[in-house]
Short mmCIF file of all heavy atoms in Angstrom, two decimals:
data_model
loop_
_atom_site.label_atom_id
_atom_site.label_comp_id
_atom_site.label_asym_id
_atom_site.label_seq_id
_atom_site.Cartn_x
_atom_site.Cartn_y
_atom_site.Cartn_z
N LEU A 254 -7.55 6.32 -10.03
CA LEU A 254 -7.10 7.15 -11.14
C LEU A 254 -7.37 8.63 -10.88
O LEU A 254 -6.61 9.49 -11.31
CB LEU A 254 -7.78 6.70 -12.43
CG LEU A 254 -7.13 7.13 -13.74
CD1 LEU A 254 -5.73 6.58 -13.84
CD2 LEU A 254 -7.97 6.66 -14.92
N GLN A 255 -8.46 8.92 -10.18
CA GLN A 255 -8.82 10.31 -9.97
C GLN A 255 -8.28 10.89 -8.66
O GLN A 255 -8.40 12.08 -8.41
CB GLN A 255 -10.33 10.48 -10.01
CG GLN A 255 -11.08 9.72 -8.93
CD GLN A 255 -12.58 9.70 -9.16
OE1 GLN A 255 -13.05 10.01 -10.25
NE2 GLN A 255 -13.34 9.33 -8.15
N LEU A 256 -7.63 10.05 -7.83
CA LEU A 256 -7.08 10.54 -6.57
C LEU A 256 -5.75 11.26 -6.81
O LEU A 256 -4.99 10.90 -7.69
CB LEU A 256 -6.87 9.39 -5.59
CG LEU A 256 -8.11 8.67 -5.07
CD1 LEU A 256 -7.71 7.60 -4.07
CD2 LEU A 256 -9.09 9.64 -4.42
N SER A 257 -5.49 12.27 -5.99
CA SER A 257 -4.21 12.96 -6.04
C SER A 257 -3.16 12.13 -5.31
O SER A 257 -3.47 11.12 -4.67
CB SER A 257 -4.33 14.34 -5.39
OG SER A 257 -4.60 14.21 -4.01
N THR A 258 -1.89 12.56 -5.38
CA THR A 258 -0.82 11.84 -4.70
C THR A 258 -1.04 11.80 -3.20
O THR A 258 -0.85 10.77 -2.55
CB THR A 258 0.53 12.52 -5.00
OG1 THR A 258 0.77 12.47 -6.41
CG2 THR A 258 1.67 11.80 -4.29
N LEU A 259 -1.48 12.92 -2.62
CA LEU A 259 -1.76 12.96 -1.19
C LEU A 259 -2.87 11.98 -0.84
O LEU A 259 -2.78 11.25 0.15
CB LEU A 259 -2.14 14.38 -0.78
CG LEU A 259 -2.58 14.58 0.67
CD1 LEU A 259 -1.44 14.21 1.62
CD2 LEU A 259 -3.03 16.02 0.92
N GLU A 260 -3.93 11.96 -1.65
CA GLU A 260 -5.04 11.05 -1.38
C GLU A 260 -4.64 9.60 -1.58
O GLU A 260 -5.13 8.71 -0.88
CB GLU A 260 -6.22 11.42 -2.29
CG GLU A 260 -6.84 12.76 -1.95
CD GLU A 260 -7.80 13.26 -3.01
OE1 GLU A 260 -7.65 12.86 -4.19
OE2 GLU A 260 -8.71 14.04 -2.68
N ILE A 261 -3.74 9.34 -2.53
CA ILE A 261 -3.23 7.98 -2.71
C ILE A 261 -2.49 7.52 -1.47
O ILE A 261 -2.64 6.39 -1.00
CB ILE A 261 -2.32 7.91 -3.95
CG1 ILE A 261 -3.16 7.90 -5.23
CG2 ILE A 261 -1.43 6.67 -3.92
CD1 ILE A 261 -3.95 6.62 -5.45
N ASN A 262 -1.66 8.39 -0.93
CA ASN A 262 -0.92 8.05 0.29
C ASN A 262 -1.87 7.81 1.46
O ASN A 262 -1.64 6.93 2.29
CB ASN A 262 0.07 9.16 0.63
CG ASN A 262 1.23 9.22 -0.35
OD1 ASN A 262 1.59 8.22 -0.96
ND2 ASN A 262 1.81 10.40 -0.50
N GLN A 263 -2.94 8.60 1.54
CA GLN A 263 -3.91 8.41 2.61
C GLN A 263 -4.65 7.09 2.44
O GLN A 263 -4.89 6.36 3.42
CB GLN A 263 -4.90 9.58 2.62
CG GLN A 263 -4.27 10.90 3.04
CD GLN A 263 -5.21 12.08 2.87
OE1 GLN A 263 -6.24 11.98 2.19
NE2 GLN A 263 -4.88 13.20 3.49
N GLU A 264 -5.03 6.76 1.20
CA GLU A 264 -5.72 5.50 0.94
C GLU A 264 -4.79 4.31 1.21
O GLU A 264 -5.22 3.29 1.75
CB GLU A 264 -6.21 5.48 -0.52
CG GLU A 264 -6.96 4.23 -0.93
CD GLU A 264 -8.32 4.10 -0.28
OE1 GLU A 264 -8.75 5.06 0.40
OE2 GLU A 264 -8.97 3.05 -0.45
N THR A 265 -3.53 4.45 0.85
CA THR A 265 -2.56 3.40 1.12
C THR A 265 -2.40 3.18 2.61
O THR A 265 -2.39 2.03 3.09
CB THR A 265 -1.20 3.77 0.50
OG1 THR A 265 -1.35 3.92 -0.91
CG2 THR A 265 -0.16 2.69 0.77
N ALA A 266 -2.30 4.26 3.37
CA ALA A 266 -2.16 4.15 4.83
C ALA A 266 -3.38 3.49 5.45
O ALA A 266 -3.26 2.68 6.37
CB ALA A 266 -1.93 5.53 5.44
N ARG A 267 -4.56 3.82 4.92
CA ARG A 267 -5.79 3.21 5.44
C ARG A 267 -5.80 1.70 5.22
O ARG A 267 -6.10 0.92 6.13
CB ARG A 267 -7.01 3.85 4.78
CG ARG A 267 -8.34 3.33 5.30
CD ARG A 267 -9.50 3.88 4.51
NE ARG A 267 -9.53 3.33 3.15
CZ ARG A 267 -10.04 2.12 2.86
NH1 ARG A 267 -10.55 1.36 3.82
NH2 ARG A 267 -10.04 1.70 1.62
N LEU A 268 -5.46 1.28 4.01
CA LEU A 268 -5.47 -0.16 3.71
C LEU A 268 -4.38 -0.89 4.47
O LEU A 268 -4.56 -2.05 4.86
CB LEU A 268 -5.31 -0.37 2.20
CG LEU A 268 -6.56 -0.11 1.36
CD1 LEU A 268 -6.27 -0.30 -0.11
CD2 LEU A 268 -7.70 -1.02 1.78
N LEU A 269 -3.24 -0.25 4.67
CA LEU A 269 -2.17 -0.89 5.44
C LEU A 269 -2.61 -1.14 6.88
O LEU A 269 -2.21 -2.13 7.51
CB LEU A 269 -0.91 -0.02 5.43
CG LEU A 269 -0.10 -0.02 4.13
CD1 LEU A 269 0.96 1.07 4.16
CD2 LEU A 269 0.55 -1.38 3.88
N ASP A 270 -3.45 -0.26 7.40
CA ASP A 270 -3.98 -0.43 8.76
C ASP A 270 -5.06 -1.49 8.83
O ASP A 270 -5.16 -2.23 9.81
CB ASP A 270 -4.54 0.90 9.28
CG ASP A 270 -3.44 1.90 9.61
OD1 ASP A 270 -2.30 1.45 9.81
OD2 ASP A 270 -3.74 3.11 9.64
N GLU A 271 -5.88 -1.59 7.77
CA GLU A 271 -7.06 -2.46 7.81
C GLU A 271 -6.82 -3.84 7.23
O GLU A 271 -7.51 -4.79 7.59
CB GLU A 271 -8.22 -1.79 7.07
CG GLU A 271 -8.67 -0.47 7.68
CD GLU A 271 -9.79 0.18 6.87
OE1 GLU A 271 -10.16 -0.40 5.82
OE2 GLU A 271 -10.27 1.24 7.30
N ASN A 272 -5.87 -3.95 6.29
CA ASN A 272 -5.69 -5.21 5.57
C ASN A 272 -4.34 -5.84 5.94
O ASN A 272 -3.29 -5.33 5.56
CB ASN A 272 -5.76 -4.96 4.06
CG ASN A 272 -5.95 -6.24 3.27
OD1 ASN A 272 -5.42 -7.28 3.63
ND2 ASN A 272 -6.71 -6.15 2.18
N PRO A 273 -4.36 -6.97 6.66
CA PRO A 273 -3.09 -7.59 7.07
C PRO A 273 -2.31 -8.21 5.92
O PRO A 273 -1.13 -8.51 6.07
CB PRO A 273 -3.53 -8.66 8.07
CG PRO A 273 -4.93 -9.00 7.66
CD PRO A 273 -5.53 -7.73 7.16
N PHE A 274 -2.97 -8.39 4.75
CA PHE A 274 -2.29 -9.00 3.62
C PHE A 274 -1.43 -7.99 2.84
O PHE A 274 -0.69 -8.37 1.95
CB PHE A 274 -3.30 -9.63 2.66
CG PHE A 274 -3.93 -10.88 3.20
CD1 PHE A 274 -5.12 -10.82 3.90
CD2 PHE A 274 -3.32 -12.11 3.03
CE1 PHE A 274 -5.70 -11.97 4.42
CE2 PHE A 274 -3.89 -13.26 3.54
CZ PHE A 274 -5.09 -13.20 4.24
N LEU A 275 -1.56 -6.72 3.19
CA LEU A 275 -0.84 -5.67 2.47
C LEU A 275 0.25 -5.11 3.36
O LEU A 275 0.02 -4.83 4.54
CB LEU A 275 -1.80 -4.56 2.06
CG LEU A 275 -1.35 -3.58 0.98
CD1 LEU A 275 -1.14 -4.30 -0.35
CD2 LEU A 275 -2.38 -2.47 0.81
N GLU A 276 1.45 -4.95 2.82
CA GLU A 276 2.55 -4.38 3.58
C GLU A 276 3.46 -3.60 2.66
O GLU A 276 3.45 -3.78 1.44
CB GLU A 276 3.34 -5.48 4.29
CG GLU A 276 4.08 -6.42 3.35
CD GLU A 276 4.91 -7.45 4.08
OE1 GLU A 276 4.86 -7.48 5.32
OE2 GLU A 276 5.60 -8.23 3.40
N ARG A 277 4.24 -2.71 3.27
CA ARG A 277 5.23 -1.97 2.50
C ARG A 277 6.39 -2.88 2.18
O ARG A 277 6.85 -3.65 3.01
CB ARG A 277 5.73 -0.75 3.27
CG ARG A 277 4.67 0.33 3.45
CD ARG A 277 5.31 1.63 3.88
NE ARG A 277 4.29 2.64 4.15
CZ ARG A 277 3.75 3.41 3.22
NH1 ARG A 277 4.13 3.27 1.95
NH2 ARG A 277 2.84 4.31 3.53
N GLU A 278 6.89 -2.74 0.97
CA GLU A 278 8.00 -3.57 0.55
C GLU A 278 9.30 -3.00 1.10
O GLU A 278 9.58 -1.82 0.96
CB GLU A 278 8.07 -3.65 -0.97
CG GLU A 278 9.16 -4.56 -1.49
CD GLU A 278 9.16 -4.63 -3.00
OE1 GLU A 278 8.13 -4.29 -3.60
OE2 GLU A 278 10.18 -5.03 -3.57
N ASP A 279 10.09 -3.88 1.70
CA ASP A 279 11.39 -3.47 2.23
C ASP A 279 12.30 -3.12 1.06
O ASP A 279 12.32 -3.81 0.04
CB ASP A 279 11.99 -4.61 3.05
CG ASP A 279 13.21 -4.15 3.85
OD1 ASP A 279 14.15 -3.61 3.22
OD2 ASP A 279 13.21 -4.33 5.06
N ASP A 280 13.07 -2.05 1.21
CA ASP A 280 13.95 -1.64 0.12
C ASP A 280 14.98 -2.71 -0.22
O ASP A 280 15.52 -2.73 -1.32
CB ASP A 280 14.68 -0.35 0.50
CG ASP A 280 13.71 0.82 0.52
OD1 ASP A 280 12.66 0.72 -0.12
OD2 ASP A 280 14.04 1.81 1.20
N SER A 281 15.28 -3.59 0.73
CA SER A 281 16.30 -4.61 0.49
C SER A 281 15.77 -5.83 -0.21
O SER A 281 16.50 -6.72 -0.57
CB SER A 281 16.92 -5.04 1.83
OG SER A 281 15.92 -5.62 2.66
N THR A 282 14.43 -5.90 -0.42
CA THR A 282 13.83 -7.04 -1.09
C THR A 282 13.03 -6.57 -2.27
O THR A 282 12.45 -5.49 -2.26
CB THR A 282 12.90 -7.83 -0.14
OG1 THR A 282 11.85 -6.97 0.27
CG2 THR A 282 13.66 -8.33 1.07
N ASN A 283 12.95 -7.39 -3.30
CA ASN A 283 12.21 -7.04 -4.50
C ASN A 283 11.10 -8.04 -4.80
O ASN A 283 10.34 -7.86 -5.74
CB ASN A 283 13.15 -6.99 -5.72
CG ASN A 283 14.14 -5.85 -5.59
OD1 ASN A 283 13.77 -4.78 -5.15
ND2 ASN A 283 15.38 -6.10 -5.95
N GLN A 284 11.01 -9.13 -4.02
CA GLN A 284 10.01 -10.14 -4.30
C GLN A 284 8.65 -9.67 -3.85
O GLN A 284 8.49 -9.13 -2.77
CB GLN A 284 10.37 -11.45 -3.58
CG GLN A 284 9.41 -12.59 -3.91
CD GLN A 284 9.81 -13.89 -3.24
OE1 GLN A 284 10.77 -13.89 -2.49
NE2 GLN A 284 9.10 -14.94 -3.50
N THR A 285 7.64 -9.86 -4.69
CA THR A 285 6.28 -9.48 -4.39
C THR A 285 5.36 -10.63 -4.72
O THR A 285 5.44 -11.19 -5.80
CB THR A 285 5.86 -8.23 -5.20
OG1 THR A 285 6.85 -7.24 -5.02
CG2 THR A 285 4.52 -7.71 -4.76
N TYR A 286 4.47 -10.93 -3.80
CA TYR A 286 3.57 -12.05 -4.00
C TYR A 286 2.48 -11.67 -4.98
O TYR A 286 1.80 -10.66 -4.81
CB TYR A 286 2.96 -12.46 -2.66
CG TYR A 286 2.00 -13.63 -2.75
CD1 TYR A 286 2.47 -14.91 -2.98
CD2 TYR A 286 0.63 -13.43 -2.60
CE1 TYR A 286 1.60 -15.97 -3.06
CE2 TYR A 286 -0.24 -14.48 -2.68
CZ TYR A 286 0.25 -15.76 -2.90
OH TYR A 286 -0.63 -16.79 -2.97
N SER A 287 2.26 -12.44 -6.02
CA SER A 287 1.30 -12.11 -7.06
C SER A 287 -0.07 -12.67 -6.79
O SER A 287 -1.05 -12.30 -7.43
CB SER A 287 1.78 -12.64 -8.41
OG SER A 287 1.80 -14.06 -8.41
#
């Protein structure tokens, strides 16, 4: 909540590198695992 947009993007990039369960959603798909 307190992170800026730039910091959110940095945190997202970090988790995408470290966590194999997280990935960017393809624009052609809308399904997301809950």
